[in-house]
Amino acid sequence: MQGYWHNAALKFIGKNGTRFNYDSVAANYKRHYSSSEKMGKLSFEDLSIFKLADQPKTYQVTGKWQIFSNQNSGGYFSLIFQEQSKAWKIVVDHTW
């Protein structure tokens, strides 16, 4: 969760709805991936990066994700990154 904005305005949009707030998103992540076996190996492909012209230091990253584990899963994502205090952080995660 290091790459996520530690802020109440963080937004995660998934197949089960929208979550706001870093603490809520982190708790949900830990619930679903409570062990390294459940987490498996995460990979990304078909990455595209777009500068959002209206927003300074803001980019959208899209692509495909895959988890290789006992229960393989995968899908697509759209992330919004912003530079926050000289570090790039995810401020919106739309994963399906």
Side-chain angles (χ1 to χ4, degrees), residues 5-12 19-22 91-92:
W5 187 28
H6 200 280
N7 190 284
L10 172 67
K11 183 189 296 186
F12 180 91
R19 289 188 179 278
F20 294 92
N21 191 322
Y22 176 88
V91 297
V92 178

Side-chain angles (χ1 to χ4, degrees), residues 3-60:
Y4 285 84
W5 187 28
H6 200 280
N7 190 284
L10 172 67
K11 183 189 296 186
F12 180 91
I13 307 161
K15 64 181 179 179
N16 296 322
T18 303
R19 289 188 179 278
F20 294 92
N21 191 322
Y22 176 88
D23 293 334
S24 174
V25 172
N28 190 56
Y29 177 87
K30 289 175 187 174
R31 195 169 31 258
H32 285 92
Y33 302 109
S34 57
S35 68
S36 58
E37 292 81 25
K38 286 186 179 180
M39 181 57 212
K41 180 169 172 32
L42 179 62
S43 70
F44 301 100
E45 57 186 53
D46 299 330
L47 296 175
S48 297
I49 301 171
F50 305 94
K51 168 84 173 88
L52 298 181
D54 294 352
Q55 302 294 321
K57 299 181 181 181
T58 304
Y59 289 82
Q60 178 185 39

